[in-house]
Amino acid sequence: MQEIVGDSLARRLVEWGVDTVFGLPGDGINGLMEGFRRQREKLRFVLVHHEEAAAFMATGYAKATGRLGVCAATSGPGAIHLLNGLYDAKLDHMPVLAITGMQETSVLGAHYQQEVHTELLYQDVAAYNLMVTNPQQVPGVVDIAIRHALAMRTVAHLTFPNDVQVAAAGTDPYRHVSPGEPPTSSPVASQPPVPAGQADLARAAEVLNAGKRVAMLVGVGARHARDEIIAVAEALASPIVKTLSGKMVVPDDHPLTTGGLGLLGTRPSEELMEECDTLLMVGTSFPYGKYLPKPGQARVVQIDIDASLIGLRLPVDAAVTADARLALQQLLPMLQPRSDRSFLTKYQRERDTWRREMVALQDGSRDPIAPQYLISCVDEAATSDAILTCDSGTIATWAARHWTIRGNREFYLSGNLATMAPGLPYAVAMQHAYPGRQVIAFVGDGGFAMLMAEFLTAVRHELPIKVIINNNNAYGQILWEQIILGYPEYAVRHQQPEADFGAWARACGGYGAKVTDPKALPGVIREALAHPGPALVDCDVNPNEPPMPGKVQYDQAKHFTEAFLRGQPHKVATVATVARDKINELRS
């Protein structure tokens, strides 16, 4: 059988250690699909229902494994659908290779059906972006694309015209005026941990040793450095604050952490940022500057593997470009252990108060069901190594505050893009990558409905994911954003009837349940998590439960009040919910 370009591509992916491609076929990639078919013993093609989900799956696969994620889509609309998931990969610095189709070279420029020049469309999202026009370019450009994705932790893109896909591999159809050598390479990349420079470390140690009230802010870039983070924090008597994407870096029940920072963070984390005189940032460029110390308030040390991400939010007094684990190992002996732990002790007490308040909101007697109670039931029943994926929206608030990182638990969501809909595709990809672990998608009804067909993908591929839907029949985060800006809500609640996604799960051949009674919830959650196959619990929650900031600012309270005075349509129910929350907090 003659080897074609599609076959050559598939072989090269296998040589790079790729074992999975997420995608959806079309006539624009039939030659590539034939190559995948020929390599099906070594390269699994996971057929999805929407290309956006394929890109999310590739991104989720990369996030969970640290390996290259690969997705494929046909020309035109298929390639366009990949973009949202690819931007998720780009903004969260994940290595993903996107492979798309293109019309035959002979008709390009002729306004042919589905003629979308994806190499132009992908200019912003892909660091390496090429239309392959000669079979001799493969596999060299495949190597270059993959190296770009891995080295820069970003998106690379290759698009193949139909006629090139089925051309004999290695042939040259052109007569060249100035013969040149096609790219040659090998499927090998080097990604050694990068140590810190001694001068940078000395400067960092000087700044940190001079600090009186030191705080640490850690992100997902430090996920492999848990022990080192804790050791440095212990030496500096520093509270550890976590970004949302970095939630898994340190266990939530560790005595040194005060929890997250930002709109979904904790009050003690926000307040200590207002008081610290020195800040050590590790593995994060935290995008929300208003939650960081005011310029001039604190001296800043930042450690990041990517020098371009240092100093984006605050003036930096010491910059260390290095692998987080190596840098902290090198830095630790240079630090002077603190005897004064009053700053840490103060915020440990504040953290304990905050945790009691959060537990008080997990009230199983409330009807409608409190979303905090729903996630607390999941948290209690899940295994110690469970992976939780999450969507953007109010759902992220409940997960951030009530999903406890302990043991080997992990947590993933769309960090910097903050897009809806990745929770379910992430779960599919991560369950594929880790078949022996419990993988739970904790999603809202809005995000789930966007790509709900991928539950059927899980059933068909026998992936035992668990899906928990926090169903408020609304776009809850948008609702509260309207109110916090001082506007009465508009066009963010769905009309009746409410969806029964449990029925959809059963129709797909999985476990499905609809829960409206808080007394039934714990048992249903346990039953779903114990189910041997894909399972879904659709839980109706209180739609008027506000995702309150950790610390309410004056302007937020002012706009909230103005919205009510202008005629907030659900003000009675909302006020009742807020009052009930406050009573529970006071009782804690």
Side-chain angles (χ1 to χ4, degrees):
M1 184 184 300
Q2 183 185 46
E3 182 177 353
I4 61 174
V5 165
D7 198 1
S8 177
L9 168 66
R11 287 180 186 275
R12 204 56 164 186
L13 292 177
V14 170
E15 289 170 357
W16 272 98
V18 175
D19 58 17
T20 305
V21 176
F22 302 95
L24 202 164
D27 62 357
I29 55 169
N30 280 339
L32 302 183
M33 292 304 301
E34 171 60 13
F36 296 154
R37 185 193 68 81
R38 294 181 185 183
Q39 297 296 319
R40 62 189 178 278
E41 297 301 321
K42 299 177 181 178
L43 187 65
R44 183 178 181 185
F45 187 83
V46 176
L47 177 62
V48 304
H49 289 84
H50 195 288
E51 293 91 352
E52 182 180 4
F56 279 137
M57 290 178 191
T59 302
Y61 183 92
K63 286 185 176 184
T65 66
R67 299 169 59 194
L68 180 74
V70 181
C71 56
T74 190
S75 57
I80 294 169
H81 284 160
L82 289 177
L83 279 171
N84 195 39
L86 295 180
Y87 271 103
D88 184 34
K90 176 186 177 178
L91 270 63
D92 280 355
H93 310 288
M94 291 296 121
V96 170
L97 173 65
I99 302 168
T100 64
M102 178 66 69
Q103 277 63 33
E104 295 182 2
T105 55
S106 61
V107 301
L108 291 178
H111 303 289
Y112 200 76
Q113 185 185 36
Q114 295 188 339
E115 184 181 346
V116 175
H117 287 262
T118 50
E119 79 279 17
L120 300 179
L121 183 68
Y122 281 36
Q123 282 182 127
D124 181 58
V125 74
Y128 186 82
N129 180 27
L130 180 72
M131 180 168 69
V132 178
T133 55
N134 190 318
Q136 287 197 347
Q137 290 176 278
V138 184
V141 295
V142 176
D143 296 344
I144 297 169
I146 291 176
R147 282 204 184 90
H148 270 77
L150 292 173
M152 300 174 68
R153 300 195 63 78
T154 190
V155 176
H157 169 239
L158 295 173
T159 188
F160 293 80
N162 264 327
D163 51 334
V164 176
Q165 295 175 33
V166 297
T171 59
D172 185 357
Y174 305 110
R175 178 181 177 183
H176 297 285
V177 176
S178 300
E181 293 297 324
T184 59
S185 189
S186 59
V188 177
S190 176
Q191 291 182 285
V194 179
Q198 287 303 313
D200 292 342
L201 287 170
R203 176 62 177 162
E206 177 189 345
V207 172
L208 294 170
N209 286 332
K212 302 300 182 184
R213 300 182 301 279
V214 182
M216 289 183 71
L217 177 61
V218 302
V220 70
R223 62 172 293 186
H224 62 302
R226 175 182 289 185
D227 292 344
E228 289 76 13
I229 291 286
I230 293 171
V232 168
E234 186 66 44
L236 294 172
S238 166
I240 302 171
V241 180
K242 303 185 290 183
T243 68
L244 185 56
S245 294
K247 181 175 172 63
M248 71 180 94
V249 174
V250 175
D252 285 312
D253 56 3
H254 193 278
L256 290 177
T257 186
T258 57
L261 183 67
L263 187 63
L264 314 185
T266 72
R267 184 177 60 249
S269 290
E270 188 169 345
E271 290 180 344
L272 73 85
M273 284 292 166
E274 297 170 354
E275 187 180 348
C276 69
D277 63 16
T278 308
L279 177 63
L280 172 57
M281 300 174 66
V282 185
T284 180
S285 59
F286 194 72
Y288 308 109
K290 71 176 183 178
Y291 292 100
L292 296 174
K294 299 292 186 293
Q297 169 199 323
R299 302 176 76 191
V300 178
V301 175
Q302 188 171 354
I303 300 173
D304 204 291
I305 192 72
D306 186 345
S308 70
L309 299 177
I310 293 178
L312 291 181
R313 315 298 170 204
L314 288 171
V316 171
D317 295 88
V320 180
T321 302
D323 172 82
R325 175 187 286 169
L326 285 183
L328 294 174
Q329 287 175 348
Q330 294 173 274
L331 182 62
L332 184 59
M334 306 169 71
L335 299 177
Q336 299 169 2
R338 303 301 168 88
S339 56
D340 182 359
R341 304 176 72 84
S342 57
F343 181 67
L344 171 63
T345 302
K346 173 183 176 179
Y347 283 102
Q348 286 177 321
R349 289 195 298 265
E350 294 295 322
R351 176 209 57 212
D352 292 343
T353 300
W354 170 266
R355 287 179 179 171
R356 287 193 295 270
E357 292 173 0
M358 292 301 102
V359 170
L361 297 177
Q362 300 168 184
D363 184 354
S365 67
R366 292 170 59 181
D367 193 358
I369 296 170
Q372 298 96 325
Y373 180 58
L374 169 60
I375 183 59
S376 74
C377 291
V378 177
D379 183 63
E380 182 177 345
T383 61
S384 61
D385 69 342
I387 297 172
L388 190 81
T389 67
C390 188
D391 271 354
S392 297
T394 56
I395 192 78
T397 303
W398 318 133
R401 294 175 178 170
H402 302 275
W403 170 253
T404 306
I405 297 297
R406 56 176 177 267
N408 294 317
R409 284 186 175 182
E410 297 180 25
F411 174 73
Y412 297 95
L413 82 171
S414 174
N416 288 298
L417 186 61
T419 181
M420 295 176 67
L424 175 58
Y426 278 8
V428 170
M430 293 176 191
Q431 189 74 83
H432 173 74
Y434 299 111
R437 293 181 69 175
Q438 186 179 73
V439 180
I440 305 168
F442 182 60
V443 296
D445 56 296
F448 178 77
M450 289 180 174
L451 292 172
M452 60 190 286
E454 304 311 329
F455 185 82
L456 186 54
T457 299
V459 173
R460 287 172 168 166
H461 288 273
E462 299 181 340
L463 297 169
I465 64 169
K466 315 305 175 191
V467 180
I468 312 297
I469 300 177
N470 182 87
N471 193 339
N472 57 16
N473 203 39
Y475 295 109
Q477 188 68 36
I478 304 168
L479 183 159
W480 294 105
E481 286 169 349
Q482 288 180 354
I483 294 175
I484 211 70
L485 289 172
Y487 305 115
E489 66 172 75
Y490 177 69
V492 288
R493 297 188 197 242
H494 292 293
Q495 297 178 2
Q496 296 296 322
E498 292 188 9
D500 182 353
F501 295 113
W504 160 249
R506 294 192 298 273
C508 291
Y511 173 101
K514 180 74 168 178
V515 180
T516 59
D517 181 0
K519 296 185 181 64
L521 184 60
V524 174
I525 293 294
R526 288 193 297 270
E527 186 174 295
L529 295 185
H531 183 73
L536 182 151
V537 175
D538 180 9
C539 180
D540 287 354
V541 299
N542 185 356
N544 300 304
E545 181 72 34
M548 299 298 285
K551 182 177 180 181
V552 179
Q553 304 294 335
Y554 170 77
D555 60 342
Q556 293 171 327
K558 176 175 177 287
H559 292 152
F560 190 86
T561 303
E562 288 173 348
F564 276 77
L565 294 177
R566 289 178 185 173
Q568 172 63 23
H570 295 269
K571 59 185 176 183
V572 174
T574 303
V575 168
T577 299
V578 173
R580 181 67 179 269
D581 285 348
K582 185 53 62 178
I583 290 171
N584 283 342
E585 289 178 13
L586 293 173
R587 288 175 175 170
S588 65

